[in-house]
Amino acid sequence: AQQVPEGETRLVGTVGPSGSQAAALPPLLHAPRAARVGNRRLTLAAFLGALAALAAVVVAGLVVADAATATDFSMKNLAPSFAHPFGTDWMGRDMLLRTLSGLSTSMLIGLVAVAVSSLIALVLGCASALGGRKVDAAITWLIDLMLGIPHIVLLILISYALGKGFWGVVAGIALTHWPSLARVVRAEVLQVKQAPYMAAARKLGAGRIEATVRHVIPHVLPQFLVGLVLMFPHAILHEASVTFL
């Protein structure tokens, strides 16, 4: 059999470099290349790097929280320098420290709100798909109701009703950002519900909660994590909008 050089693409019936027909070769659309680092390792390394960067920002913001609010009118409106890389404001506060403190607060609000909101979406999505027609109708109606109200308006109302501040904004974001992810979870659970292994689990005596924990949640977890990650910047954007207003 004729050998195809590594990295070369050749179809059946083509003429090789020596002029001979390659009709005897099987279809070869992509020859293997040199071994490289696996995609999973690169993804894991990037994820760990991003997680470390976020943790560093949060910790740095918490450490410099007091220094970020310290005023010194003799140092006001300074241009960026080695001592103050971002300069100072009209009250003499270091802008770099204030930036770190603000980033830390935004990250904490986003993380807490997204964690709570995603758990609400997971519970309601699973309950809607596995709880029967009445439960499904009630949760679907609630999802449609939440999606029909503008996010920012409902978020402001909830935050104001709960006393504003850090926890008011967290509660407002957590209670308004779950409907879209709940719909995704519901659709995935309905798909898994019809799988043969779910029928086998029910025949073997597995209850509704046991089947959900052992068979449904592991299948839904990848889509759930993607939705959680996509919700994070959305939550921070709305947090910034509410704090500005």
Side-chain angles (χ1 to χ4, degrees), residues 3-201:
Q3 298 293 328
V4 178
E6 184 178 353
E8 182 179 340
T9 301
R10 190 177 300 174
L11 299 176
V12 176
T14 58
V15 179
S18 60
S20 60
Q21 290 287 334
L25 291 175
L28 186 61
L29 298 179
H30 180 70
R33 297 180 179 177
R36 64 181 71 179
V37 180
N39 289 334
R40 290 187 178 181
R41 293 183 180 179
L42 289 176
T43 303
L44 181 60
F47 172 76
L48 293 178
L51 192 62
L54 290 177
V57 169
V58 172
V59 172
L62 293 176
V63 170
V64 302
D66 294 334
T69 58
T71 59
D72 184 359
F73 287 96
S74 64
M75 306 287 289
K76 64 180 183 180
N77 296 327
L78 294 181
S81 62
F82 183 78
H84 304 282
F86 287 5
T88 59
D89 63 0
W90 66 280
M91 296 181 67
R93 295 172 296 190
D94 188 280
M95 293 304 296
L96 175 59
L97 300 183
R98 290 179 60 79
T99 301
L100 290 175
S101 180
L103 284 174
S104 176
T105 303
S106 296
M107 294 294 179
L108 287 176
I109 291 177
L111 289 173
V112 176
V114 166
V116 175
S117 187
S118 61
L119 287 178
I120 295 174
L122 181 63
V123 172
L124 291 182
C126 291
S128 177
L130 301 173
R133 291 185 178 180
K134 292 184 178 179
V135 177
D136 185 26
I139 295 178
T140 303
W141 174 83
L142 182 60
I143 292 174
D144 293 337
L145 177 65
M146 296 293 293
L147 291 176
I149 304 175
H151 263 180
I152 194 69
V153 174
L154 186 59
L155 201 162
I156 292 174
L157 291 176
I158 294 175
S159 300
Y160 186 80
L162 295 178
K164 301 175 284 186
F166 180 89
W167 294 110
V169 175
V170 169
I173 295 174
L175 295 176
T176 56
H177 283 66
W178 58 267
S180 298
L181 183 57
R183 274 189 167 182
V184 174
V185 172
R186 176 182 176 273
E188 292 295 328
V189 174
L190 286 175
Q191 182 179 1
V192 177
K193 187 178 178 181
Q194 306 300 326
Y197 59 82
M198 285 294 292

